Amino acid sequence: MGPSASGTDAIRLVISDEAAGQRLDKALAAAAKATPGLSRSRLADLIAGGALEDESGRTVTDTTRKVKAGEEWWLSVPPPLPADPEPEDIPLDIVHEDDDLIVVNKPAGMVVHPAPGAETGTLVNALLSHCGDSLQGIGGERRPGIVHRIDKDTSGLLVVAKTQAAHSGLSTLFARHEIDRLYRAICWGTPERHDARLTGLAGVSLIPEWIRIETRIGRHPADRKRMAVLKDPEAGRNAITFLRPIRGFGPASLIECRLETGRTHQIRVHASHIGHALVGDPIYGRKARGGSSDEMLSRLRAFPRQALHAAVLGFEHPVSGHKLRFESVLPQDIEDLIADDLDFE
């Protein structure tokens, strides 16, 4: 299959008649022989990292079970990265920088890490140029330590490690959900807490001020390029989002989303799950239906990306222990959607 929405390839592996009754790891190794670059050790590493799913979308890491002929398995294989990303003199909006880390306000349209089809012009290329010799090395290489990502067409705050100590510390903070991440977005409709449709949705609960959404998120069972809310409690990975409306205008609303976990496309999937997909979302969105002025609808429909912005990033500095908190105002393109002069009220 082609590249997925998250930048990985979902490879379909079918158990042959000859492999029936074998251990899963051995049978998959035989099925993967025709896939270039997928050695048995590479396969084992990917499975241990949670990259293998069964036909129902459930993540499987135990490979000791016996298999049956005709079983289908899906393996998410990250694309090969360029061996040596080149430094590029690309302007960056630096919010904070010290000896251990750097916080950047990423513009929409910039890919975070080089990948096939986007080998240049990425945040990593820009950081290699900007940081130069101040990069002390991550994993034995002089490179920026990417500990989290935001989609190419999502704007906002991102923290990157410059040292191994910062990389390890930030990774631990993210794993423990001890990073304060708040996003602002424009969605279709208004997700009101008193809406009876919300209370009937799986994983949705109401707490003071917020709508809490907790579901399993994983590959869509029919379209492996998309992520989806999965019904199987053991499929995918647990995902928790807190969402609240800030201001409604006609057919859309400004909302805030606070992440407890950070799954691929989490906010976009959860917003769509409760019937309020993000404006401009090419994968999980929808077109607005009437009820408002032509000017308003035309602006919303023409928005060229998901209207999502990483607005707040807060964490304890992994080396100094100081509390840090950064906020980024909405970029101009989203600000234009809620401009007062459009008479949205």
Side-chain angles (χ1 to χ4, degrees):
M1 296 183 66
S4 75
S6 62
T8 62
D9 285 340
I11 298 175
R12 175 174 172 264
L13 300 174
V14 181
I15 304 302
S16 66
D17 293 339
E18 294 77 11
Q22 294 180 353
R23 280 172 48 122
L24 176 59
D25 51 2
K26 184 177 180 181
L28 289 177
K33 278 185 177 179
T35 303
L38 196 56
S39 64
R40 190 160 186 169
S41 60
R42 172 68 168 149
L43 178 64
D45 288 342
L46 288 171
I47 294 174
L52 182 68
E53 297 176 0
D54 62 16
E55 292 172 295
S56 68
R58 183 187 294 108
T59 299
V60 175
T61 56
D62 180 8
T63 58
T64 61
R65 54 152 289 181
K66 305 298 183 182
V67 298
K68 298 178 182 178
E71 286 183 355
E72 292 186 5
W73 296 83
W74 293 90
L75 185 71
S76 297
V77 182
L81 299 176
D84 294 300
E86 293 292 328
E88 295 181 48
D89 187 12
I90 302 171
L92 289 173
D93 182 2
I94 307 297
V95 178
H96 170 84
E97 183 174 11
D98 57 43
D99 291 341
D100 296 287
L101 56 83
I102 183 169
V103 178
V104 177
N105 191 26
K106 186 189 84 68
M110 175 180 273
V111 175
V112 172
H113 206 290
E119 290 85 358
T120 61
T122 72
L123 180 62
V124 166
N125 295 111
L127 287 170
L128 284 170
S129 174
H130 172 82
C131 296
D133 291 340
S134 69
L135 292 174
Q136 297 179 25
I138 310 293
E141 299 179 21
R142 192 179 293 275
R143 60 182 175 85
I146 305 297
V147 291
H148 69 127
R149 306 186 190 195
I150 54 180
D151 295 334
K152 171 186 175 182
D153 289 327
T154 297
S155 56
L157 298 171
L158 199 75
V159 59
V160 179
K162 296 169 64 178
T163 65
Q164 185 64 60
H167 186 268
S168 299
L170 287 170
S171 297
T172 298
L173 291 176
F174 274 99
R176 293 176 177 173
H177 311 310
E178 294 176 355
I179 302 283
D180 183 19
R181 287 174 289 172
L182 186 140
Y183 288 69
R184 295 192 175 97
I186 307 295
C187 73
W188 292 111
T190 302
E192 296 286 359
R193 286 168 43 79
H194 61 261
D195 189 340
R197 293 173 298 178
L198 291 181
T199 58
L201 284 175
V204 177
S205 58
L206 304 180
I207 62 175
E209 297 188 30
W210 298 88
I211 298 165
R212 185 180 186 275
I213 309 164
E214 180 174 8
T215 71
R216 307 293 292 188
I217 286 182
R219 298 277 175 201
H220 193 287
D223 183 355
R224 310 298 288 190
K225 296 181 180 181
R226 302 178 60 189
M227 307 302 288
V229 168
L230 304 176
K231 295 181 180 179
D232 188 334
E234 297 183 10
R237 303 179 70 186
N238 197 52
I240 301 174
T241 305
F242 297 86
L243 183 152
R244 65 178 176 183
I246 300 301
R247 174 192 175 198
F249 49 90
S253 297
L254 172 66
I255 61 173
E256 285 186 342
C257 301
R258 191 175 295 279
L259 291 180
E260 182 167 319
T261 60
R263 311 307 180 202
T264 301
H265 297 175
Q266 178 174 319
I267 290 174
R268 298 164 64 188
V269 172
H270 274 169
S272 179
H273 175 62
I274 65 171
H276 296 280
L278 301 190
V279 166
D281 194 325
I283 299 177
Y284 309 102
R286 64 173 178 81
K287 294 294 184 183
R289 302 183 184 130
S292 299
S293 69
D294 290 340
E295 180 185 13
M296 184 193 305
L297 277 177
S298 64
R299 281 181 176 266
L300 292 167
R301 286 172 171 165
F303 199 72
R305 67 177 180 97
Q306 62 265 11
L308 181 62
H309 179 68
V312 174
L313 185 64
F315 55 92
E316 182 179 288
H317 194 289
V319 176
S320 71
H322 295 152
K323 298 288 186 180
L324 301 176
R325 187 180 188 276
F326 308 100
E327 183 164 359
S328 169
V329 299
L330 288 172
Q332 192 61 52
D333 61 349
I334 295 182
E335 188 65 39
D336 288 343
L337 288 179
I338 57 176
D340 291 336
D341 61 354
L342 291 179
D343 192 25
F344 278 176
E345 298 297 341

